[in-house]
Amino acid sequence: VVSGFLAHAARSDAVTTNAARNTSAIPTKPKKKPRALTAQECTSWLEQHAKDENAVRKDLLDITVFMLATGVRIGETIGVTWHEVDLDAGTVIVDWNVIP
């Protein structure tokens, strides 16, 4: 983004050079490959949430079950409204993503 902005500024003579062009990427650690929870991990997770009064009060169990059943991410989960839910058909349309 910055490089593109500075390139435009250089073409428009707002700056003399694009300083970002001479920079290199910041080295990062390799990320762990994502993996799915095992059936036992899912069961354990749900059991722990069901026993936790705070988690139940905050509907974390419901959110967790929804995410496990649909495979959607947290932002997509909390973006679902009743307009996207069809209980008769058993479907949910995921059109929104909440970004904190």
Coordinates of all heavy atoms in Angstrom, one line a residue:
V1 N 0.8 -1.2 0.0 CA 0.0 0.0 0.0 C 0.9 1.2 0.0 O 0.7 2.2 -0.8 CB -1.0 0.0 1.2 CG1 -1.7 1.3 1.3 CG2 -1.9 -1.2 1.1
V2 N 1.8 1.3 0.9 CA 2.7 2.5 1.0 C 3.5 2.6 -0.3 O 3.6 3.7 -0.8 CB 3.7 2.3 2.2 CG1 4.7 3.5 2.2 CG2 2.8 2.4 3.5
S3 N 4.0 1.5 -0.8 CA 4.8 1.6 -2.1 C 3.9 2.1 -3.2 O 4.4 3.0 -4.0 CB 5.3 0.2 -2.4 OG 6.1 0.3 -3.6
G4 N 2.7 1.7 -3.3 CA 1.8 2.2 -4.4 C 1.5 3.6 -4.2 O 1.5 4.4 -5.2
F5 N 1.3 4.0 -3.0 CA 1.0 5.5 -2.7 C 2.2 6.3 -3.0 O 2.1 7.4 -3.7 CB 0.7 5.6 -1.2 CG 0.5 7.0 -0.7 CD1 -0.6 7.7 -1.0 CD2 1.5 7.7 0.0 CE1 -0.8 9.1 -0.6 CE2 1.4 9.0 0.4 CZ 0.2 9.7 0.1
L6 N 3.4 5.9 -2.6 CA 4.6 6.6 -2.9 C 4.9 6.6 -4.4 O 5.5 7.6 -5.0 CB 5.8 6.1 -2.1 CG 5.8 6.5 -0.6 CD1 6.9 5.8 0.1 CD2 5.9 8.0 -0.5
A7 N 4.6 5.5 -5.1 CA 4.8 5.5 -6.6 C 3.9 6.5 -7.3 O 4.4 7.3 -8.2 CB 4.5 4.1 -7.1
H8 N 2.7 6.6 -6.8 CA 1.8 7.6 -7.4 C 2.3 9.0 -7.1 O 2.3 9.9 -7.9 CB 0.4 7.4 -6.8 CG -0.6 8.5 -7.3 ND1 -1.1 8.5 -8.6 CD2 -1.1 9.5 -6.6 CE1 -1.9 9.5 -8.7 NE2 -2.0 10.1 -7.5
A9 N 2.8 9.2 -5.8 CA 3.3 10.5 -5.4 C 4.5 10.9 -6.3 O 4.7 12.1 -6.7 CB 3.6 10.5 -3.9
A10 N 5.4 9.9 -6.6 CA 6.6 10.2 -7.4 C 6.2 10.6 -8.8 O 6.8 11.5 -9.4 CB 7.5 9.0 -7.3
R11 N 5.2 9.8 -9.4 CA 4.7 10.2 -10.7 C 4.1 11.5 -10.8 O 4.1 12.2 -11.8 CB 3.7 9.1 -11.2 CG 4.4 7.8 -11.6 CD 3.4 6.8 -12.3 NE 2.2 6.6 -11.5 CZ 2.1 5.6 -10.6 NH1 3.1 4.8 -10.3 NH2 0.9 5.4 -9.9
S12 N 3.5 12.0 -9.7 CA 2.9 13.3 -9.6 C 3.8 14.4 -9.2 O 3.4 15.5 -8.9 CB 1.7 13.2 -8.7 OG 0.8 12.2 -9.1
D13 N 5.1 14.0 -9.0 CA 6.1 15.0 -8.5 C 5.8 15.5 -7.1 O 6.3 16.6 -6.8 CB 6.3 16.1 -9.6 CG 6.9 15.6 -10.9 OD1 7.7 14.7 -10.8 OD2 6.5 16.1 -11.9
A14 N 5.1 14.8 -6.3 CA 4.9 15.2 -5.0 C 6.1 14.8 -4.1 O 6.3 15.5 -3.1 CB 3.6 14.6 -4.4
V15 N 6.8 13.8 -4.5 CA 8.0 13.4 -3.8 C 9.1 13.2 -4.9 O 8.7 12.9 -6.1 CB 7.9 12.1 -3.0 CG1 6.9 12.4 -1.8 CG2 7.4 11.0 -3.8
T16 N 10.3 13.2 -4.6 CA 11.4 13.1 -5.6 C 11.7 11.6 -5.9 O 12.0 11.3 -7.1 CB 12.7 13.7 -5.1 OG1 13.1 13.2 -3.8 CG2 12.5 15.2 -5.0
T17 N 11.5 10.7 -4.9 CA 11.7 9.3 -5.2 C 10.8 8.4 -4.4 O 10.2 8.9 -3.4 CB 13.2 8.8 -4.8 OG1 13.3 9.1 -3.4 CG2 14.2 9.6 -5.6
N18 N 10.6 7.2 -4.8 CA 9.8 6.3 -4.1 C 10.7 5.5 -3.1 O 11.3 4.5 -3.5 CB 9.0 5.3 -5.0 CG 8.2 4.3 -4.3 OD1 8.2 4.2 -3.1 ND2 7.5 3.5 -5.1
A19 N 10.8 6.0 -1.9 CA 11.7 5.3 -0.9 C 11.2 3.9 -0.6 O 12.1 3.1 -0.2 CB 11.7 6.2 0.4
A20 N 10.0 3.6 -0.7 CA 9.5 2.2 -0.4 C 10.1 1.2 -1.4 O 10.2 0.0 -1.1 CB 8.0 2.2 -0.3
R21 N 10.4 1.6 -2.6 CA 10.8 0.7 -3.6 C 12.2 0.0 -3.2 O 12.5 -1.1 -3.6 CB 11.0 1.5 -4.9 CG 11.4 0.6 -6.1 CD 11.5 1.3 -7.4 NE 12.3 2.5 -7.2 CZ 12.1 3.6 -7.9 NH1 11.2 3.7 -8.8 NH2 12.9 4.7 -7.7
N22 N 13.0 0.7 -2.4 CA 14.3 0.2 -2.0 C 14.3 -0.6 -0.7 O 15.3 -0.8 -0.2 CB 15.3 1.4 -2.0 CG 15.4 2.0 -3.3 OD1 15.4 1.4 -4.3 ND2 15.6 3.4 -3.3
T23 N 13.1 -0.9 -0.2 CA 13.0 -1.6 1.0 C 12.8 -3.1 0.8 O 12.4 -3.5 -0.3 CB 11.9 -1.1 1.9 OG1 10.7 -1.2 1.3 CG2 12.1 0.4 2.3
S24 N 13.0 -3.9 1.8 CA 12.7 -5.3 1.7 C 11.7 -5.7 2.7 O 11.4 -5.0 3.6 CB 14.0 -6.1 1.9 OG 14.5 -5.9 3.2
A25 N 11.1 -6.9 2.5 CA 10.1 -7.4 3.4 C 10.6 -7.7 4.7 O 11.8 -8.1 4.9 CB 9.4 -8.6 2.8
I26 N 9.8 -7.4 5.8 CA 10.2 -7.8 7.1 C 10.2 -9.3 7.3 O 9.2 -9.9 7.0 CB 9.3 -7.1 8.1 CG1 9.4 -5.6 8.0 CG2 9.6 -7.5 9.6 CD1 8.3 -4.8 8.8
P27 N 11.3 -9.9 7.7 CA 11.2 -11.3 7.9 C 10.3 -11.7 9.0 O 10.2 -11.1 10.0 CB 12.7 -11.7 8.3 CG 13.3 -10.4 8.7 CD 12.5 -9.3 8.1
T28 N 9.5 -12.8 8.8 CA 8.6 -13.3 9.7 C 8.8 -14.8 10.0 O 9.4 -15.5 9.2 CB 7.1 -13.1 9.2 OG1 7.0 -13.9 8.0 CG2 6.8 -11.7 9.0
K29 N 8.4 -15.2 11.1 CA 8.5 -16.6 11.5 C 7.4 -17.4 10.7 O 6.3 -16.9 10.5 CB 8.3 -16.9 13.0 CG 9.3 -16.3 13.9 CD 9.0 -16.5 15.3 CE 10.0 -15.9 16.2 NZ 9.7 -16.1 17.6
P30 N 7.8 -18.6 10.2 CA 6.8 -19.4 9.5 C 5.6 -19.7 10.5 O 5.8 -20.0 11.6 CB 7.5 -20.6 9.1 CG 8.8 -20.6 9.7 CD 9.0 -19.3 10.3
K31 N 4.4 -19.6 9.9 CA 3.2 -19.9 10.8 C 3.0 -21.4 10.8 O 3.3 -22.1 9.8 CB 2.0 -19.2 10.2 CG 2.1 -17.7 10.2 CD 0.8 -17.0 9.7 CE 0.9 -15.5 9.8 NZ -0.3 -14.9 9.3
K32 N 2.4 -21.8 11.9 CA 2.0 -23.2 12.0 C 0.9 -23.5 11.0 O 0.0 -22.6 10.8 CB 1.5 -23.6 13.4 CG 2.6 -23.7 14.4 CD 2.1 -24.1 15.7 CE 3.1 -24.3 16.8 NZ 2.6 -24.7 18.1
K33 N 0.9 -24.6 10.4 CA -0.2 -25.0 9.4 C -1.5 -25.2 10.2 O -1.4 -25.9 11.2 CB 0.2 -26.2 8.7 CG -0.8 -26.6 7.6 CD -0.3 -27.8 6.8 CE -1.3 -28.2 5.8 NZ -0.9 -29.4 5.1
P34 N -2.6 -24.6 9.8 CA -3.8 -24.8 10.6 C -4.3 -26.3 10.5 O -4.0 -27.0 9.5 CB -4.8 -23.9 9.9 CG -4.2 -23.5 8.6 CD -2.7 -23.7 8.7
R35 N -5.0 -26.7 11.5 CA -5.5 -28.1 11.5 C -6.9 -28.1 12.1 O -7.2 -27.2 12.9 CB -4.6 -29.0 12.3 CG -4.5 -28.8 13.8 CD -3.8 -29.9 14.5 NE -3.9 -29.7 15.9 CZ -4.9 -30.1 16.7 NH1 -5.9 -30.8 16.2 NH2 -4.8 -29.9 18.0
A36 N -7.6 -29.1 11.8 CA -9.0 -29.2 12.3 C -8.9 -29.9 13.7 O -7.9 -30.7 13.9 CB -9.8 -30.0 11.4
L37 N -9.8 -29.6 14.5 CA -9.9 -30.3 15.8 C -10.3 -31.8 15.6 O -11.1 -32.1 14.6 CB -10.9 -29.7 16.7 CG -10.7 -28.2 17.2 CD1 -11.8 -27.7 18.0 CD2 -9.4 -28.2 18.0
T38 N -9.8 -32.7 16.4 CA -10.2 -34.0 16.3 C -11.6 -34.1 16.9 O -12.1 -33.2 17.6 CB -9.3 -35.0 17.1 OG1 -9.3 -34.6 18.5 CG2 -7.8 -34.8 16.6
A39 N -12.3 -35.2 16.7 CA -13.6 -35.5 17.3 C -13.5 -35.4 18.8 O -14.4 -34.8 19.5 CB -14.2 -36.8 16.8
Q40 N -12.5 -36.0 19.4 CA -12.3 -36.0 20.8 C -12.1 -34.5 21.4 O -12.6 -34.2 22.4 CB -11.1 -36.9 21.3 CG -10.8 -36.9 22.8 CD -12.1 -37.3 23.6 OE1 -12.8 -38.2 23.3 NE2 -12.3 -36.6 24.7
E41 N -11.3 -33.8 20.6 CA -11.0 -32.4 21.0 C -12.3 -31.6 21.0 O -12.6 -30.7 21.8 CB -10.0 -31.7 20.1 CG -8.6 -32.3 20.4 CD -7.6 -31.8 19.3 OE1 -8.0 -31.6 18.1 OE2 -6.4 -31.7 19.7
C42 N -13.2 -31.8 20.0 CA -14.5 -31.1 19.9 C -15.3 -31.4 21.0 O -15.9 -30.6 21.7 CB -15.2 -31.5 18.6 SG -14.5 -30.7 17.1
T43 N -15.4 -32.7 21.4 CA -16.2 -33.2 22.5 C -15.7 -32.6 23.8 O -16.5 -32.1 24.6 CB -16.2 -34.7 22.6 OG1 -16.7 -35.2 21.3 CG2 -17.1 -35.2 23.7
S44 N -14.5 -32.6 24.0 CA -13.9 -32.0 25.2 C -14.2 -30.5 25.3 O -14.5 -30.0 26.4 CB -12.4 -32.3 25.2 OG -11.8 -31.7 26.4
W45 N -14.0 -29.8 24.2 CA -14.2 -28.4 24.2 C -15.7 -28.1 24.6 O -15.9 -27.2 25.4 CB -13.9 -27.9 22.8 CG -14.1 -26.4 22.6 CD1 -15.2 -25.8 22.1 CD2 -13.2 -25.4 22.8 NE1 -15.0 -24.5 22.1 CE2 -13.8 -24.2 22.5 CE3 -11.9 -25.4 23.3 CZ2 -13.1 -22.9 22.6 CZ3 -11.2 -24.2 23.4 CH2 -11.8 -23.0 23.1
L46 N -16.6 -28.8 24.0 CA -18.0 -28.6 24.2 C -18.4 -28.9 25.7 O -19.2 -28.2 26.3 CB -18.9 -29.4 23.3 CG -18.8 -28.9 21.8 CD1 -19.6 -29.9 20.9 CD2 -19.3 -27.5 21.6
E47 N -17.8 -30.0 26.2 CA -18.1 -30.4 27.6 C -17.6 -29.3 28.5 O -18.2 -29.0 29.5 CB -17.4 -31.7 27.9 CG -18.1 -32.9 27.3 CD -17.4 -34.2 27.4 OE1 -16.2 -34.2 27.9 OE2 -17.9 -35.3 27.1
Q48 N -16.4 -28.8 28.3 CA -15.8 -27.7 29.1 C -16.7 -26.5 29.1 O -16.9 -25.8 30.1 CB -14.4 -27.4 28.7 CG -13.4 -28.5 29.0 CD -12.0 -28.2 28.4 OE1 -11.6 -27.0 28.5 NE2 -11.3 -29.2 27.9
H49 N -17.1 -26.1 27.9 CA -18.0 -24.9 27.8 C -19.3 -25.1 28.5 O -19.9 -24.2 29.1 CB -18.2 -24.5 26.4 CG -17.1 -23.7 25.8 ND1 -15.9 -24.1 25.6 CD2 -17.1 -22.3 25.4 CE1 -15.1 -23.1 25.1 NE2 -15.9 -22.0 25.0
A50 N -19.9 -26.3 28.4 CA -21.2 -26.6 29.0 C -21.1 -26.5 30.6 O -22.1 -26.1 31.2 CB -21.7 -28.0 28.6
K51 N -19.9 -26.8 31.1 CA -19.7 -26.8 32.6 C -19.4 -25.4 33.1 O -19.5 -25.1 34.3 CB -18.6 -27.7 33.0 CG -19.0 -29.2 32.8 CD -17.8 -30.0 33.1 CE -18.0 -31.5 32.7 NZ -16.8 -32.3 32.9
D52 N -19.0 -24.5 32.2 CA -18.6 -23.1 32.6 C -19.8 -22.2 32.6 O -20.3 -21.8 31.5 CB -17.5 -22.7 31.6 CG -16.9 -21.4 32.0 OD1 -17.5 -20.5 32.7 OD2 -15.7 -21.1 31.6
E53 N -20.2 -21.8 33.8 CA -21.4 -20.9 33.9 C -21.2 -19.6 33.1 O -22.1 -19.1 32.5 CB -21.7 -20.6 35.4 CG -22.2 -21.8 36.1 CD -22.4 -21.4 37.6 OE1 -22.5 -20.2 37.9 OE2 -22.4 -22.4 38.4
N54 N -20.0 -19.0 33.2 CA -19.7 -17.8 32.5 C -19.8 -18.0 31.0 O -20.4 -17.1 30.3 CB -18.3 -17.3 32.9 CG -18.0 -15.9 32.5 OD1 -19.0 -15.0 32.5 ND2 -16.8 -15.6 32.2
A55 N -19.3 -19.1 30.5 CA -19.4 -19.4 29.0 C -20.8 -19.6 28.6 O -21.2 -19.1 27.5 CB -18.5 -20.6 28.7
V56 N -21.6 -20.3 29.4 CA -23.0 -20.5 29.1 C -23.8 -19.2 29.1 O -24.6 -18.9 28.2 CB -23.6 -21.5 30.1 CG1 -25.1 -21.6 29.9 CG2 -23.0 -22.9 29.9
R57 N -23.5 -18.3 30.1 CA -24.2 -17.0 30.2 C -23.9 -16.1 29.0 O -24.7 -15.4 28.5 CB -23.8 -16.3 31.5 CG -24.5 -15.0 31.8 CD -24.2 -14.5 33.2 NE -22.9 -14.6 33.7 CZ -21.8 -13.9 33.3 NH1 -22.0 -12.9 32.4 NH2 -20.6 -14.0 33.8
K58 N -22.7 -16.2 28.5 CA -22.3 -15.4 27.3 C -22.6 -16.1 26.0 O -22.1 -15.6 24.9 CB -20.8 -15.1 27.4 CG -20.5 -14.2 28.6 CD -19.0 -13.9 28.7 CE -18.7 -12.9 29.9 NZ -17.3 -12.6 29.9
D59 N -23.3 -17.2 26.0 CA -23.7 -18.0 24.8 C -22.5 -18.5 24.0 O -22.6 -18.7 22.8 CB -24.5 -17.1 23.8 CG -25.9 -16.8 24.4 OD1 -26.4 -17.6 25.2 OD2 -26.5 -15.7 24.1
L60 N -21.3 -18.7 24.7 CA -20.2 -19.2 24.0 C -20.4 -20.6 23.5 O -19.8 -21.0 22.5 CB -18.9 -19.1 24.9 CG -18.5 -17.7 25.2 CD1 -17.3 -17.7 26.1 CD2 -18.3 -16.9 24.0
L61 N -21.2 -21.4 24.3 CA -21.5 -22.8 23.8 C -22.2 -22.8 22.5 O -21.9 -23.5 21.6 CB -22.2 -23.5 24.9 CG -22.6 -25.0 24.6 CD1 -21.3 -25.8 24.4 CD2 -23.4 -25.6 25.7
D62 N -23.2 -21.9 22.4 CA -24.0 -21.8 21.2 C -23.2 -21.4 20.0 O -23.3 -21.9 18.9 CB -25.2 -20.9 21.4 CG -26.2 -21.3 22.4 OD1 -26.3 -22.6 22.7 OD2 -26.9 -20.5 23.0
I63 N -22.4 -20.4 20.2 CA -21.5 -19.9 19.2 C -20.5 -21.0 18.7 O -20.3 -21.2 17.5 CB -20.7 -18.6 19.6 CG1 -21.7 -17.5 19.8 CG2 -19.6 -18.3 18.7 CD1 -21.1 -16.2 20.4
T64 N -20.0 -21.7 19.7 CA -19.0 -22.8 19.4 C -19.7 -23.9 18.6 O -19.2 -24.4 17.6 CB -18.4 -23.4 20.7 OG1 -17.7 -22.3 21.4 CG2 -17.4 -24.5 20.4
V65 N -20.9 -24.3 19.0 CA -21.6 -25.3 18.3 C -21.9 -24.9 16.8 O -21.7 -25.6 15.9 CB -22.9 -25.7 19.0 CG1 -23.8 -26.6 18.1 CG2 -22.6 -26.4 20.3
F66 N -22.3 -23.6 16.7 CA -22.6 -23.1 15.4 C -21.4 -23.1 14.5 O -21.4 -23.5 13.3 CB -23.2 -21.7 15.5 CG -23.5 -21.0 14.2 CD1 -24.7 -21.3 13.6 CD2 -22.6 -20.2 13.5 CE1 -25.1 -20.7 12.3 CE2 -22.9 -19.6 12.3 CZ -24.2 -19.9 11.7
M67 N -20.3 -22.7 15.0 CA -19.0 -22.6 14.3 C -18.6 -24.0 13.9 O -18.1 -24.3 12.8 CB -17.9 -21.9 15.1 CG -18.2 -20.4 15.2 SD -17.0 -19.6 16.2 CE -15.5 -19.7 15.2
L68 N -18.7 -25.0 14.8 CA -18.3 -26.4 14.5 C -19.2 -27.0 13.5 O -18.7 -27.7 12.6 CB -18.2 -27.2 15.8 CG -17.1 -26.9 16.8 CD1 -17.4 -27.6 18.1 CD2 -15.8 -27.2 16.2
A69 N -20.5 -26.7 13.5 CA -21.4 -27.3 12.6 C -21.3 -26.7 11.2 O -21.6 -27.4 10.2 CB -22.8 -27.1 13.2
T70 N -21.0 -25.4 11.1 CA -21.0 -24.7 9.8 C -19.6 -24.5 9.2 O -19.4 -24.4 8.0 CB -21.6 -23.4 9.9 OG1 -20.9 -22.6 10.9 CG2 -23.1 -23.5 10.3
G71 N -18.6 -24.5 10.1 CA -17.2 -24.2 9.6 C -16.9 -22.8 9.3 O -15.9 -22.5 8.8
V72 N -17.8 -21.9 9.8 CA -17.5 -20.5 9.6 C -16.6 -19.9 10.7 O -16.5 -20.5 11.7 CB -18.8 -19.6 9.5 CG1 -19.7 -20.1 8.3 CG2 -19.6 -19.7 10.8
R73 N -16.0 -18.8 10.4 CA -15.1 -18.1 11.3 C -15.9 -17.3 12.3 O -17.1 -17.0 12.1 CB -14.1 -17.3 10.6 CG -13.2 -18.1 9.7 CD -12.3 -17.2 8.9 NE -11.4 -18.0 8.1 CZ -11.0 -17.7 6.9 NH1 -11.5 -16.6 6.3 NH2 -10.2 -18.5 6.2
I74 N -15.2 -16.8 13.3 CA -15.9 -16.0 14.4 C -16.6 -14.7 13.8 O -17.7 -14.4 14.2 CB -15.0 -15.7 15.6 CG1 -15.7 -15.0 16.7 CG2 -13.8 -14.8 15.1 CD1 -16.7 -15.9 17.4
G75 N -15.9 -14.0 13.0 CA -16.4 -12.8 12.4 C -17.7 -13.1 11.6 O -18.7 -12.3 11.6
E76 N -17.7 -14.2 10.8 CA -18.8 -14.6 10.1 C -20.0 -15.0 11.0 O -21.1 -14.7 10.7 CB -18.5 -15.7 9.1 CG -17.5 -15.3 8.0 CD -16.8 -16.5 7.3 OE1 -16.7 -17.5 7.9 OE2 -16.5 -16.3 6.2
T77 N -19.6 -15.7 12.0 CA -20.6 -16.2 13.0 C -21.4 -15.1 13.6 O -22.6 -15.1 13.7 CB -20.0 -17.1 14.1 OG1 -19.3 -18.2 13.5 CG2 -20.9 -17.5 15.1
I78 N -20.7 -14.1 14.1 CA -21.3 -13.0 14.8 C -22.0 -12.0 13.9 O -22.8 -11.2 14.3 CB -20.4 -12.3 15.9 CG1 -19.2 -11.7 15.2 CG2 -20.0 -13.2 17.0 CD1 -18.3 -10.9 16.1
G79 N -21.7 -12.2 12.6 CA -22.4 -11.3 11.6 C -23.7 -11.9 11.1 O -24.5 -11.2 10.4
V80 N -24.1 -13.1 11.5 CA -25.3 -13.7 11.1 C -26.5 -13.1 11.8 O -26.4 -12.9 13.0 CB -25.3 -15.3 11.3 CG1 -26.7 -15.9 11.1 CG2 -24.3 -15.9 10.4
T81 N -27.5 -12.7 11.1 CA -28.8 -12.2 11.7 C -29.9 -13.2 11.3 O -29.7 -14.0 10.5 CB -29.1 -10.8 11.2 OG1 -29.4 -10.9 9.8 CG2 -28.0 -9.8 11.4
W82 N -31.0 -13.0 12.0 CA -32.2 -13.9 11.7 C -32.6 -13.8 10.3 O -33.3 -14.8 9.8 CB -33.3 -13.6 12.7 CG -33.0 -14.1 14.0 CD1 -32.7 -13.5 15.2 CD2 -33.0 -15.5 14.4 NE1 -32.5 -14.3 16.2 CE2 -32.7 -15.6 15.8 CE3 -33.2 -16.7 13.7 CZ2 -32.5 -16.8 16.4 CZ3 -33.1 -17.9 14.4 CH2 -32.7 -18.0 15.7
H83 N -32.4 -12.8 9.5 CA -32.8 -12.7 8.1 C -32.1 -13.7 7.3 O -32.6 -14.1 6.2 CB -32.4 -11.3 7.6 CG -33.2 -10.2 8.3 ND1 -34.5 -10.0 8.1 CD2 -32.8 -9.2 9.1 CE1 -34.9 -8.9 8.8 NE2 -33.9 -8.5 9.5
E84 N -30.9 -14.2 7.7 CA -30.1 -15.2 6.9 C -30.4 -16.6 7.4 O -29.9 -17.5 6.8 CB -28.6 -14.9 7.1 CG -28.1 -13.7 6.4 CD -28.1 -12.5 7.2 OE1 -27.8 -12.6 8.5 OE2 -28.3 -11.4 6.7
V85 N -31.2 -16.8 8.4 CA -31.5 -18.1 8.9 C -32.9 -18.6 8.5 O -33.9 -17.9 8.6 CB -31.5 -18.1 10.5 CG1 -31.8 -19.5 11.0 CG2 -30.1 -17.6 11.0
D86 N -32.9 -19.8 7.9 CA -34.2 -20.5 7.5 C -34.2 -21.8 8.3 O -33.7 -22.8 7.9 CB -34.2 -20.7 6.0 CG -35.5 -21.3 5.5 OD1 -36.3 -21.9 6.4 OD2 -35.8 -21.2 4.3
L87 N -35.0 -21.7 9.4 CA -35.1 -22.9 10.3 C -35.8 -24.1 9.6 O -35.4 -25.2 9.8 CB -35.8 -22.6 11.6 CG -35.0 -21.6 12.5 CD1 -35.8 -21.2 13.7 CD2 -33.7 -22.1 12.9
D88 N -36.8 -23.8 8.8 CA -37.5 -24.8 8.1 C -36.7 -25.6 7.1 O -36.7 -26.8 7.0 CB -38.8 -24.2 7.3 CG -39.8 -23.7 8.3 OD1 -39.9 -24.2 9.4 OD2 -40.5 -22.7 8.0
A89 N -35.8 -24.8 6.3 CA -34.9 -25.4 5.3 C -33.7 -25.9 6.0 O -32.9 -26.7 5.4 CB -34.6 -24.4 4.2
G90 N -33.4 -25.5 7.2 CA -32.1 -25.9 7.9 C -30.9 -25.2 7.2 O -29.8 -25.9 7.1
T91 N -31.1 -24.0 6.8 CA -30.0 -23.3 6.1 C -29.6 -22.0 6.7 O -30.5 -21.4 7.4 CB -30.3 -23.0 4.6 OG1 -31.5 -22.2 4.5 CG2 -30.5 -24.3 3.9
V92 N -28.4 -21.5 6.5 CA -27.9 -20.2 7.0 C -27.1 -19.6 5.8 O -26.3 -20.3 5.2 CB -27.0 -20.3 8.2 CG1 -26.5 -19.0 8.6 CG2 -27.8 -21.0 9.4
I93 N -27.4 -18.4 5.5 CA -26.7 -17.7 4.4 C -25.7 -16.8 5.2 O -26.0 -16.0 6.0 CB -27.6 -16.8 3.6 CG1 -28.6 -17.7 2.8 CG2 -26.8 -16.0 2.6 CD1 -29.7 -16.9 2.1
V94 N -24.4 -17.0 4.9 CA -23.3 -16.2 5.5 C -22.9 -15.2 4.5 O -22.1 -15.5 3.6 CB -22.2 -17.1 6.0 CG1 -21.1 -16.3 6.6 CG2 -22.7 -18.2 6.9
D95 N -23.4 -14.0 4.7 CA -23.1 -12.9 3.8 C -22.3 -11.8 4.4 O -21.8 -10.9 3.7 CB -24.4 -12.2 3.3 CG -25.0 -12.9 2.1 OD1 -24.3 -13.7 1.4 OD2 -26.2 -12.7 1.8
W96 N -22.1 -11.8 5.7 CA -21.4 -10.7 6.4 C -20.3 -11.2 7.2 O -20.2 -12.4 7.6 CB -22.4 -10.1 7.4 CG -23.7 -9.7 6.7 CD1 -24.9 -10.3 6.7 CD2 -23.9 -8.6 5.8 NE1 -25.8 -9.7 5.9 CE2 -25.2 -8.6 5.3 CE3 -23.1 -7.5 5.3 CZ2 -25.8 -7.7 4.5 CZ3 -23.6 -6.6 4.5 CH2 -24.9 -6.7 4.1
N97 N -19.4 -10.3 7.5 CA -18.2 -10.6 8.3 C -18.0 -9.4 9.3 O -17.8 -8.3 8.8 CB -17.0 -10.9 7.5 CG -15.8 -11.3 8.3 OD1 -15.9 -11.8 9.4 ND2 -14.6 -11.1 7.7
V98 N -18.0 -9.6 10.5 CA -17.7 -8.5 11.5 C -16.2 -8.5 11.7 O -15.6 -9.5 12.0 CB -18.4 -8.8 12.8 CG1 -18.1 -7.7 13.9 CG2 -19.9 -8.9 12.6
I99 N -15.7 -7.3 11.5 CA -14.2 -7.1 11.7 C -14.0 -6.2 12.9 O -14.5 -5.0 12.9 CB -13.6 -6.5 10.4 CG1 -13.8 -7.4 9.2 CG2 -12.1 -6.2 10.6 CD1 -13.4 -6.8 7.9
P100 N -13.3 -6.7 13.9 CA -13.2 -5.8 15.1 C -12.3 -4.6 14.9 O -11.5 -4.5 14.0 CB -12.5 -6.8 16.1 CG -11.9 -7.9 15.3 CD -12.6 -7.9 14.0

